Amino acid sequence: MLLCLTGWLAPQLGLADIDPAEYGLKSSVRSEKERQRLQAEFHTDKKREAELQRQEEEIEARRLAAEKAAWDALPYPVRLTKSRCTTCHIADYYTRQRHNRIGWGLVNLRMQYWNGVALTAEERVAIADYLAESYPAAGAAAMLEALLQLAVPLLPLWLWLAWKITRSRFGKRLNE
Ligand code: HEC
């Protein structure tokens, strides 16, 4: 019990053991001359800081100007596509896709009517022209896309054919 008590007391005593001299005015300014020197130092520091900040702002302004110049240098369809499409996708998303002109036109139509993108007819044309020229479908994928684009509008024909075939078989069976 006693041991416990001393164990508890010792650190408490230790806490009170700080030399009041530690709080002394070691860093206080003692003479007018020193005060002036410190003030001058403080001013130089402030000036250097302001100069650094000015330099940083200049670099940032130059970066923004370069960015704007690069943007202005882009052809109109690229700027149009980026400003219309990168609100939802990163540009990589659609530049990784490949479609023919009809395919890109359909993508734009879907973006407009399905996903609610505000596009005028001229913008749709400009964007689809640009994307089809820059990111065209090639090889087997292009053939498949063209085939699908051909086959889908002929859907009524396929349905009619299927109906004909079924009916002729059914009719034959009835006659037997
Ligand atoms: C309002 C947000 C929004 C904007 C703006 C937008 N999209 Fe999309 N996009 C979507 C969503 C959501 C999907 C996924 C659902 C879908 O496929 O419809 C998608 C899917 C796609 C796909 C993949 C589907 C496919 O058919 O290959 C492509 C490519 C695409 N978008 C291209 C574009 C292009 C090009 C533009 C600019 C004209 C655009 N998007 C603008 C929302 C948007």
Side-chain angles (χ1 to χ4, degrees), residues 49-69:
E49 225 167 74
E51 172 63 16
L52 273 177
Q53 194 175 352
R54 199 190 56 73
Q55 278 175 9
E56 257 167 40
E57 279 167 8
E58 206 178 290
I59 290 169
E60 178 65 7
R62 229 178 292 150
R63 194 185 62 78
L64 283 177
E67 223 168 60
K68 188 178 178 305

Side-chain angles (χ1 to χ4, degrees), residues 18 55 67 76 83 143:
I18 294 169
Q55 278 175 9
E67 223 168 60
Y76 167 71
S83 58
M143 295 246 289

Side-chain angles (χ1 to χ4, degrees), residues 81 84-85 87-89 93-94 97 99 104 107-108 110-111 114-115 117 119 127 131:
T81 307
R84 291 293 180 278
C85 310
T87 42
C88 296
H89 308 294
Y93 179 70
Y94 55 84
Q97 320 254 350
H99 292 291
W104 279 118
V107 166
N108 285 348
R110 213 177 67 232
M111 291 309 120
W114 188 260
N115 296 321
V117 185
L119 288 171
I127 292 173
L131 288 172

Side-chain angles (χ1 to χ4, degrees), residues 76-77 80-81 84 101 108 112 119-130:
Y76 167 71
L80 179 69
T81 307
R84 291 293 180 278
R101 174 64 180 76
N108 285 348
Q112 181 173 4
L119 288 171
T120 65
E122 295 87 58
E123 288 173 344
R124 263 201 332 260
V125 170
I127 292 173
D129 281 347
Y130 154 66

